[in-house]
Amino acid sequence: MSRYLEIANDLRRRIAAGEWPIGARLPGIAELQDAYGAALNTIRAAEQVLRQEGVLRISAGQGAYVLALPQAGSEANVLDALYAARDAVASAINLVERQQESRN
């Protein structure tokens, strides 16, 4: 599965879980890049998937806002969710390791 789809699946799951309610602004691109350890275009592609599904409204210069909750059936299957979780944990570990290395 492509990395941007894994990120889109995770964002979709988090939105459905209520982490960002309707009308809420998602974290900025840079913050999402850090959180997922992903490139700018990867995060943008993930947001575009959710925009096409009607979940996000993306405004240039203002960010991405939750427009609607994901529709039933658009959520990733369990295996995809586990892969996304694994990748998120690996990204978080890499970030902490880089921070520790920069302190040394």
Side-chain angles (χ1 to χ4, degrees), residues 14-26 55 65-69:
R14 293 169 72 182
I15 291 167
E19 188 169 337
W20 300 295
I22 293 173
R25 183 179 182 274
L26 260 58
V55 173
Y65 293 83
V66 177
L67 186 61
L69 295 177

Side-chain angles (χ1 to χ4, degrees), residues 1-10 32-39 41-43 45-46 83-92:
M1 174 180 290
S2 297
R3 181 72 175 128
Y4 78 95
L5 291 175
E6 291 174 355
I7 294 169
N9 286 342
D10 189 56
L32 291 174
Q33 283 180 270
D34 287 343
Y36 288 103
N41 288 335
T42 303
I43 298 298
Y83 286 140
R86 178 200 62 198
D87 292 342
V89 168
S91 295

